[in-house]
């Protein structure tokens, strides 16, 4: 149980284009989903917290107009990187916190590696 | 002071030995503590969580928490080469329902056959 999927697993795009990443909880409902970014040899950095049916909460320094988050249902959240640039190239990972169970436990998706040319 | 600190390593131990991974945190109000394992190029996977002072054992893994010292550790007994990975310590600094985790930079563990 507690499986989280992400799609796509890898994407290469041209500078200036937009990329959408999907995060799904496959066997549980998630009240909250989190989006992280990880640069090479760095730790996970929380970008935003996404609650179903409400606006996402962005961490300081993360542009909400550039990283659009939609949490339309209890099993799906999407992150859209708009007008991507080479500096946005990174490993994007989502996690989901179940509706029930441990109050803080998060389960991670497999990640999406974004390369912007 | 960084919120969650870990020695980046690499920590190298021989196969069969005990690997000891340490983590300190700055917010005394932190309530939940997690250890994740991350293989290169992969996303983190949860190994253990601990909420109360003392030890918590799960198979070859033991998490230890000392809130007075703001210190949490992970012991891996009978280390195997497959345990070679980066281990991330994460802390919920707010507690309650928000669930935001603050991650350390991770300790790279290498288990030599």
């Amino acid at each position: 149980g507690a499986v989280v999927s992400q799609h796509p697993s890898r994407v290469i795009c041209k500078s200036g284009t937009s990329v959408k990443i999907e995060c799904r909880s496959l066997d549980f409902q998630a009240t909250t989903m989190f989006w992280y970014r990880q640069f090479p040899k760095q730790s996970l950095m929380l970008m935003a917290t996404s609650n179903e049916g409400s606006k996402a909460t962005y961490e300081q320094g993360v542009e909400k107009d550039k990283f659009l988050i939609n949490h339309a249902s209890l099993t799906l959240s999407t992150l859209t990187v708009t007008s991507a640039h080479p500096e946005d190239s990174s490993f994007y990972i989502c996690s989901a916190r179940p509706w029930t169970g441990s109050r803080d436990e998060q389960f991670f998706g497999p990640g999406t590696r974004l390369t912007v040319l | 002071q960084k919120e969650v600190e870990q020695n980046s390593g690499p920590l190298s131990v021989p196969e069969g030995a005990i690997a000891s991974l340490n983590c300190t945190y700055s917010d005394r109000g932190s309530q939940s503590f997690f250890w994740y394992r991350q293989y290169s190029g992969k996303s983190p996977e949860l190994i253990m969580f601990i909420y109360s002072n003392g030890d918590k054992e799960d198979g070859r893994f033991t998490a230890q928490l000392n809130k007075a010292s703001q210190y949490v550790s992970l012991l891996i007994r009978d280390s195997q080469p497959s345990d070679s990975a980066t281990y991330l310590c994460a802390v919920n600094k707010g507690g309650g329902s928000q669930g935001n985790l603050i991650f350390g930079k991770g300790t790279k563990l290498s288990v030599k056959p």
Side-chain angles (χ1 to χ4, degrees):
Chain A
V3 178
V4 177
S5 70
Q6 271 184 253
H7 178 79
S9 59
R10 185 181 295 268
V11 59
I12 300 173
C13 69
K14 293 181 179 180
S15 184
T17 60
S18 294
V19 175
K20 179 186 280 189
I21 303 170
E22 290 187 351
C23 177
R24 293 181 184 272
S25 55
L26 297 184
D27 51 2
F28 66 97
Q29 292 184 325
T31 52
T32 306
M33 290 184 171
F34 303 87
W35 287 96
Y36 295 85
R37 180 167 55 182
Q38 187 176 37
F39 293 106
K41 299 189 185 301
Q42 299 293 314
S43 187
L44 293 170
M45 295 301 295
L46 179 66
M47 298 175 66
T49 302
S50 169
N51 292 298
E52 186 265 339
S54 63
K55 290 184 179 180
T57 302
Y58 290 82
E59 294 299 299
Q60 191 173 8
V62 178
E63 300 175 58
K64 63 179 181 180
D65 294 329
K66 181 173 180 61
F67 299 98
L68 303 179
I69 292 173
N70 184 285
H71 194 156
S73 75
L74 286 172
T75 59
L76 173 64
S77 176
T78 61
L79 168 69
T80 301
V81 183
T82 62
S83 187
H85 290 283
E87 58 265 30
D88 298 322
S89 298
S90 188
F91 191 39
Y92 291 85
I93 310 173
C94 73
S95 71
R97 188 161 62 87
W99 177 267
T100 59
S102 172
R103 57 182 175 174
D104 299 326
E105 198 169 4
Q106 293 181 25
F107 298 94
F108 284 86
T112 297
R113 192 162 299 281
L114 171 63
T115 302
V116 184
L117 302 177
Chain B
Q1 181 185 8
K2 296 178 182 176
E3 294 191 76
V4 180
E5 291 203 58
Q6 295 180 256
N7 187 321
S8 61
L11 173 66
S12 184
V13 300
E15 183 175 357
I18 296 176
S20 177
L21 304 160
N22 304 316
C23 173
T24 58
Y25 58 94
S26 61
D27 190 331
R28 191 170 285 278
S30 299
Q31 297 184 14
S32 311
F33 308 86
F34 302 81
W35 282 100
Y36 286 85
R37 176 174 62 196
Q38 186 176 25
Y39 292 109
S40 180
K42 304 294 184 181
S43 67
E45 56 179 321
L46 181 67
I47 297 176
M48 291 189 72
F49 58 86
I50 186 168
Y51 298 145
S52 303
N53 275 329
D55 295 0
K56 179 181 179 182
E57 187 174 318
D58 184 0
R60 295 187 296 113
F61 299 97
T62 299
Q64 300 175 316
L65 175 61
N66 184 324
K67 289 186 177 180
S69 300
Q70 296 174 239
Y71 174 91
V72 58
S73 66
L74 179 70
L75 301 178
I76 306 174
R77 289 182 299 281
D78 188 23
S79 296
Q80 301 297 308
S82 59
D83 295 326
S84 298
T86 296
Y87 289 79
L88 302 172
C89 171
V91 174
N92 181 317
K93 68 174 186 175
S97 61
Q98 185 62 22
N100 286 9
L101 297 180
I102 307 298
F103 284 86
K105 288 191 172 183
T107 297
K108 187 172 184 178
L109 173 67
S110 177
V111 181
K112 303 295 186 184

